[in-house]
């Protein structure tokens, strides 16, 4: 071509070409041609130039009736004998007088139709001479006079050598004159029917044709149809070289330019690509019958039907080859080059015309350059954007159009994705391999896929991805119908409905495959890029949209954005809640960008593979710990569960993500969906107004046991609580409130449980020591209380307790659900059966709960309403005491009453579990009960031994006033309910079952069991039980309130006879005994009977359990109800002895005197 075409070979040629099917409107041109040549100098088909420029051949097909004399004397192809038979058989009669019509008819014949070799030879020589004859050049000068003057390159061509026509063919895109355009179009049609007619093509590609075995170039050995096959063969060789296929031949650079030039010049009319024309002629009639030729319209129509089942395989192959050439040079697409011409120039995307296959000429460069302009908010014409979308869709439909994919992904395609070529299925299969769902992928293949996704940019319009579009059509129509078709938010909508009922499986797979690659380049989410490009440039030092950095790992820009969205740059710490961003506006994201970052985080939480940094750092740990976790969201949960076991890089990224979740739990999209009913009912205000405060999770925790709470939500909330205990930073509100306190008081402690224990211990110590100033801040103490209460709800939130009791839980509480402190309650109820380690932990827990009842989750839950009714003015530590005082109120809820009784039973097992008693009897316990304390261990109950000891001392009236008051309360309570006396329960369980089953089975305990045991004292066989009953009798002497049955029977008598006598120290009992002995006093029959029974019991008790010593005897007398009577008898006896002594003394003295006198 260099000898014939002296213009830049990559100059963009765009124009609207008239169809080559008709030659109407050419009368003027034809007339001029006829005038030039009426008398041929050489016979047609001869060796010399054919001087048979047909004078009338180019007239209108319908002008046969008015043929002129000059036309009739012109040479006609139809008159040649060698072609007459073929002409008669193949061409309509009305075209015989038009040489160009005959030429078009014969060269566009069907493949299966053969024409005579001599006719072939004649036609070829005619066309060759036609393109080189100087007379045609003179016609071109006359017809295209105006055009030549406008095109400087053509005006400068030397006439008489055939250069002018070639130049006009090159610049036909710039020809606006209709007649000139028609003339050049016809010449182009003739030239492109045979590569040998293209000036210079043979010289430049001769060696490559031979090397590629593209066919003989000798005249006559190949018919006219095969000439297109030679060019097609060269084009395929060019594609193979670009794809670096094994054995690919390296085509010379000049030939490459010629091949691309031919493809470019044939881009407006598919007739000019002879191989494709013949391969797709029938398909064109089938699919594109109504599509006018020219402007590349037929090409586009056929491209759109490329994957139709009815399309022939040969046509599909030819279309693919042309698409691959377009991928190498966008100018091979007439419509794209024309539509985007001004935009390419405007945004400096135009290629150097001296470098036809330079990087800038590639379709990918054009797409990236113009897409960059669109994403930056620049104006790109709608026509150009439409063309770009067509070719982006083309790239997504057929992976083979991207040489890098074919080259680098060959083994992946052969191993996993063979046979899926059509409609983008192979590409999506490769994406699935890239996700790691089907084994490892070559890094070069991964990069090629990422590059292709950027070039096609399906994130901007889901319709570009045909496989996704078809798979998700039903979901879009139902779930996303409110969004405009083609809007980028469609993909976001689909992600929001991932793993919901509206999602279908095929759509789910295609969506995740695409999102995997979009997640690795923040620019591929157009909404995120639009809102955050300024912030990314300012904070993350990003490049332009179409520029990439090999040094930047996937997902690094987005990681930078979300760090700035949730944290201040200083020390990587988050902004305090409520701190104004304006304090440091240069280091924080804009509000719009922050919203988009949160949206992306919410979507990425659905699948760990959508977080590039997480997947990159945790690949080993995912395989090691989470290979069996395949359900949605399970992989991240698994990594969080194994946080301590992860490698440091993985642990860091999982920790950061968990920290973000604590601040904005809505990142956990699956959890939010599961918890929607609870949120709508109880947390809607928090959810609507939440701005990075962690309030929503707090609300879900507080309402974890509401009726709207379903199992999925409950499990998710509990899981997050369990994760939070691993690191105090994972609890946003706790971290924010106590960060400074932790650094000061609990440095180097990481686990939240340990931090809570450390801080709560500090608070308790400061309180006990009456410190002037608490070391833990007020806001931290407040949040600390919230954390302690939350931890008490589930035993798993206290790891040490849970680990210590896991064996016991499996043995004793295997059917008890976690949560609501039910497992802890179960362990408490089975305390005597626990292993020593668990028993010790439970005892410590109960000790803490009794000191601070607000940490007793079950008590606070069951008695919540009763606390509001009776104890609104009580401090938290006095709640249980308040409830105990109101236990027997008619307004008390039965369930709460039952819970209070349980706690009383617990308290009575050990004085250490009753902080009020412990404080009141601080001096009495070591004074009277030291032997018991000496035998006790630190973490095990004394089973009521100390309290029993104090009870006996109460009966002996030896306790201090404060301690006596507390023991009196205990005696009164245990007298009504035998379960409150641990020693009685331990020793008398069998006797109660044998002697008092009905009384023990009663729902309301009012002292019936104790009365039954007293009545059946003689029938009791076990010595331990008998001793406890005798102790009860002894205690009852000290105060009538300790004997509820007697007190009830004698209530009226006490009121009448003993109203002036204060209770305590046996005074009212003595009063009743005196009244019993006084015959003037008439007691109530029931009271009289009960009193008599008590006297008999005390008499029996005195016989069975005599005093251990004089002091004990004296105490028994002093505490006896018959104290006065006994003292009177003793006094009378002593007086009698004294008198007897006096008498005996006098008598013996008289006898002695008498003896002396003797």
């Amino acid at each position: 071509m260099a000898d014939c075409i002296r213009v830049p070979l990559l100059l963009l040629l765009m124009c609207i070409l008239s169809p080559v099917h008709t030659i109407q409107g050419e009368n003027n041109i034809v007339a001029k041609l006829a005038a030039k040549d009426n008398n041929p100098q050489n016979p047609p088909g001869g060796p010399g130039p054919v001087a048979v420029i047909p004078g009338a051949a180019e007239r209108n097909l319908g002008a046969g009736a008015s043929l002129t004399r000059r036309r009739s004397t012109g040479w006609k192809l139809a008159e040649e004998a060698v072609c007459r038979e073929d002409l008669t058989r193949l061409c309509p009669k009305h075209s015989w007088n038009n040489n160009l019509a005959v030429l078009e008819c014969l060269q566009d014949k069907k493949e299966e139709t053969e024409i005579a070799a001599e006719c072939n030879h004649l036609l070829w020589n005619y066309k060759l001479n036609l393109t080189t004859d100087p007379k045609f050049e003179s016609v071109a000068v006359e017809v295209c006079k105006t055009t030549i003057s406008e095109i400087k390159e053509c005006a400068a061509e030397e006439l008489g050598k055939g250069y002018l026509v070639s130049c006009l063919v090159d610049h036909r895109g710039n020809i606006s004159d209709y007649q000139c355009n028609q003339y050049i179009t016809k010449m182009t049609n003739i030239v492109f029917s045979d590569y040998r007619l293209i000036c210079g093509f043979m010289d430049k590609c001769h060696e490559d044709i031979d090397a590629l075995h593209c066919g003989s170039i000798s005249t006559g050995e190949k018919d006219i149809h095969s000439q297109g096959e030679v060019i097609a063969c060269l084009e395929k060789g060019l594609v193979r070289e670009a794809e670096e296929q094994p054995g690919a031949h390296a085509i010379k650079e000049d030939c490459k330019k010629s091949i691309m030039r031919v493809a470019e010049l044939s881009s407006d009319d598919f007739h000019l690509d002879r191989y494709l024309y013949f391969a797709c002629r029938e398909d064109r009639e089938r699919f594109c019958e109504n599509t006018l030729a020219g402007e590349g319209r037929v090409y586009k129509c056929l491209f759109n039907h490329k994957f139709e089942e009815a399309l022939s395989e040969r046509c599909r192959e030819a279309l693919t080859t042309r698409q691959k050439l377009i991928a190498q040079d966008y100018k091979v697409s007439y419509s794209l080059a024309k539509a985007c011409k001004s935009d390419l120039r405007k945004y400096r995307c135009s290629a150097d015309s001296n470098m036809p296959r330079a990087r800038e000429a590639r379709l990918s460069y054009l797409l990236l350059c113009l897409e960059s302009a669109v994403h930056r908010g620049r104006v790109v014409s709608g026509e150009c954007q439409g063309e770009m979308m067509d070719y982006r869709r083309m790239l997504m439909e057929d992976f083979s159009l991207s040489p890098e994919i074919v080259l680098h992904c060959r083994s992946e395609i052969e191993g996993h994705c063979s046979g899926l070529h059509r409609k983008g299925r192979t590409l999506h299969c490769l994406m699935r391999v890239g996700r790691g769902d089907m084994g490892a992928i070559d890094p070069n293949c991964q990069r090629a896929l990422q590059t292709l996704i950027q070039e096609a940019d399906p994130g901007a319009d889901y319709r570009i991805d045909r496989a996704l579009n078809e798979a998700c059509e039903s979901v879009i129509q139902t779930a996303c119908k409110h969004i405009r078709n083609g809007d980028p938010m469609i993909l976001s909508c689909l992600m929001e409905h991932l793993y919901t009922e509206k999602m279908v499986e095929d759509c789910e797979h295609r969506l995740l495959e695409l999102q995997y690659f979009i997640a690795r380049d923040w620019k591929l989410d157009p909404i995120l890029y639009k809102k955050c490009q300024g912030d990314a440039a300012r904070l993350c030092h990003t490049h332009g949209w179409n520029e990439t950095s090999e040094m930047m790992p996937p997902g690094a820009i987005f990681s930078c954005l979300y760090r700035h969205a949730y944290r201040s740059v200083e020390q990587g710490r988050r902004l305090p809640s409520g701190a104004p961003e304006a304090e440091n506006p240069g280091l924080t994201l804009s509000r719009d960008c922050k919203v988009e970052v949160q949206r992306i985080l919410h979507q990425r939480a659905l699948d760990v593979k959508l977080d590039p940094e997480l997947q990159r750092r945790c690949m080993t740990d995912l395989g090691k710990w989470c290979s069996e976790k395949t359900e949605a969201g399970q992989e991240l949960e698994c990594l969080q569960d194994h946080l301590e076991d992860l490698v440091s890089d993985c642990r860091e990224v999982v920790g950061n993500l968990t920290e973000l979740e604590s601040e904005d739990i809505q990142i956990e999209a699956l959890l939010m969906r599961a918890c929607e009913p609870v949120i709508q009912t109880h947390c809607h205000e928090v959810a609507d107004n939440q701005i990075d405060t962690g309030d929503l999770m707090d609300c879900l925790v507080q309402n974890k046991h509401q009726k709207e709470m379903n199992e999925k939500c409950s499990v998710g909330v509990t899981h997050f609580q369990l994760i939070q205990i691993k690191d105090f930073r994972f609890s946003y509100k706790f971290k924010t409130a106590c960060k400074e306190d932790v650094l000061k008081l609990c440095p180097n402690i990481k686990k939240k449980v340990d931090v809570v224990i450390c801080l709560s211990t500090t608070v308790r110590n400061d309180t006990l020591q009456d410190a002037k100033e608490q070391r833990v801040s007020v806001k931290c103490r407040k949040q600390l209380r919230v954390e302690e209460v939350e931890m008490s709800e589930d035993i798993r939130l206290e790891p040490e307790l849970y680990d210590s009791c896991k064996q016991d839980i499996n043995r004793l509480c295997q059917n008890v659900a976690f949560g609501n402190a039910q497992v802890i309650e179960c362990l408490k109820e089975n305390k005597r059966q626990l292993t020593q380690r668990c028993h010790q932990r439970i005892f410590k827990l109960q000790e803490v709960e009794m000191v601070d009842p607000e940490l007793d989750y079950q008590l606070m839950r069951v008695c919540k309403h009763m606390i509001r009714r009776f104890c609104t003015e009580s401090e938290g530590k006095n709640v249980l005491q308040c409830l105990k005082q109101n236990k027997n109120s008619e307004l008390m809820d039965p369930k709460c009453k039952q819970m209070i009784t349980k706690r009383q039973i617990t308290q009575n097992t050990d004085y250490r579990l009753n902080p009020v008693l412990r404080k009141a009897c601080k001096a009495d316990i070591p004074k009277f009960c030291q032997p018991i304390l000496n035998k006790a261990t630190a973490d095990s109950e004394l089973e009521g031994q100390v309290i029993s000891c104090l009870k006996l001392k109460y009966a002996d009236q030896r306790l201090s006033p404060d301690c006596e008051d507390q023991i009196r309360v205990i005696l009164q309570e245990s007298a009504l309910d035998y379960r409150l006396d641990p020693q009685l329960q331990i020793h008398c369980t069998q006797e109660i079952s044998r002697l008092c089953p009905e009384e023990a089975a009663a729902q309301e305990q009012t002292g019936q069991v104790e009365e039954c045991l007293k009545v059946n004292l003689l029938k009791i066989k076990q010595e331990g039980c008998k001793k406890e009953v005798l102790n009860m009798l002894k205690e009852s002497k000290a105060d009538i309130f300790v004997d509820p049955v007697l007190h009830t029977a004698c209530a009226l008598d006490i009121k009448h006879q003993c109203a002036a006598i204060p209770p305590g120290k046996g005074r009212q009992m003595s009063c009743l005994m005196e009244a019993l002995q006084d015959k003037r006093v008439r007691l109530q029959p029931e009271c009289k009977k009960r009193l008599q029974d008590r006297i008999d019991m005390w008499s029996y008790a005195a016989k069975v359990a005599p005093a251990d010593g004089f002091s004990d005897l004296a105490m028994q007398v002093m505490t006896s109800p018959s104290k006065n009577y006994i003292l009177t008898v003793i006094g009378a006896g002593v007086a009698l002895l004294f008198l007897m002594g006096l008498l005996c003394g006098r008598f013996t003295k008289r006898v002695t005197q008498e003896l002396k006198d003797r």
Side-chain angles (χ1 to χ4, degrees), residues 13 106 201 254 363 437 591 613 703 856 896 919 943:
L13 299 180
L106 291 177
F201 189 88
D254 284 346
L363 175 64
D437 295 346
R591 187 174 184 83
E613 188 178 15
N703 293 280
D856 188 337
C896 179
K919 183 178 180 181
E943 299 297 347

Side-chain angles (χ1 to χ4, degrees), residues 1091-1118:
L1091 279 172
Q1092 193 59 54
D1093 291 340
R1094 294 299 181 268
I1095 292 172
D1096 295 339
M1097 292 177 190
W1098 291 329
S1099 299
Y1100 177 76
K1103 294 176 184 177
V1104 174
D1108 295 331
F1110 181 78
S1111 61
D1112 193 25
L1113 177 61
M1115 188 55 64
Q1116 285 187 13
V1117 171
M1118 294 303 296

Side-chain angles (χ1 to χ4, degrees), residues 488-499 511-512 515 518-519 525 527 558 596-611 666-670 673:
M489 283 304 293
I490 290 283
L491 276 182
S492 188
C493 173
L494 289 173
M495 287 299 294
E496 289 171 7
H497 289 86
L498 197 63
Y499 306 123
L511 182 62
L512 287 174
Q515 283 290 348
I518 291 178
D525 188 308
I527 305 170
F558 184 76
E596 291 307 313
V597 169
Q598 288 176 326
R599 173 180 67 85
I600 299 298
L601 285 172
H602 296 170
Q603 293 176 3
R604 290 189 177 183
L606 296 170
D607 191 326
V608 70
K609 292 177 181 176
L610 297 182
D611 190 325
Q666 294 190 52
I667 290 174
E668 278 279 10
L670 293 174
R673 289 178 194 166

Side-chain angles (χ1 to χ4, degrees), residues 216-229:
S216 170
I217 58 172
S218 302
T219 303
E221 288 192 19
K222 276 189 174 287
D223 64 19
I224 195 168
H225 295 71
S226 66
Q227 303 307 315
E229 292 184 359

Side-chain angles (χ1 to χ4, degrees), residues 856-867 893-900:
D856 188 337
Y857 190 88
Q858 275 279 20
L859 175 71
M860 300 304 289
R861 183 183 71 85
V862 174
C863 296
K864 180 169 62 175
H865 299 296
M866 295 300 102
I867 292 171
D893 175 65
K895 289 184 179 179
C896 179
K897 186 174 182 178
Q898 186 178 4
M899 182 58 65
I900 296 168

Side-chain angles (χ1 to χ4, degrees), residues 673-732:
R673 289 178 194 166
C675 297
E676 186 66 24
V678 187
I679 293 173
Q680 290 300 322
T681 307
H682 301 285
C683 308
H684 60 93
E685 292 182 2
V686 178
D688 294 341
N689 301 326
Q690 185 192 24
I691 304 176
D692 302 342
T693 60
D695 287 334
L696 182 54
M697 176 51 75
D698 278 0
C699 179
L700 289 173
V701 170
Q702 291 167 12
N703 293 280
K704 195 163 73 168
H705 302 288
Q706 297 289 350
K707 61 181 180 180
E708 292 83 6
M709 178 66 70
N710 55 60
E711 184 180 0
K712 282 187 177 180
C713 179
S714 178
V715 169
V717 172
T718 302
H719 175 266
F720 195 77
Q721 289 180 285
L722 293 173
I723 296 306
Q724 284 184 324
I725 65 176
K726 295 175 183 288
D727 193 323
F728 80 95
R729 295 178 301 123
F730 296 166
S731 179
Y732 175 68

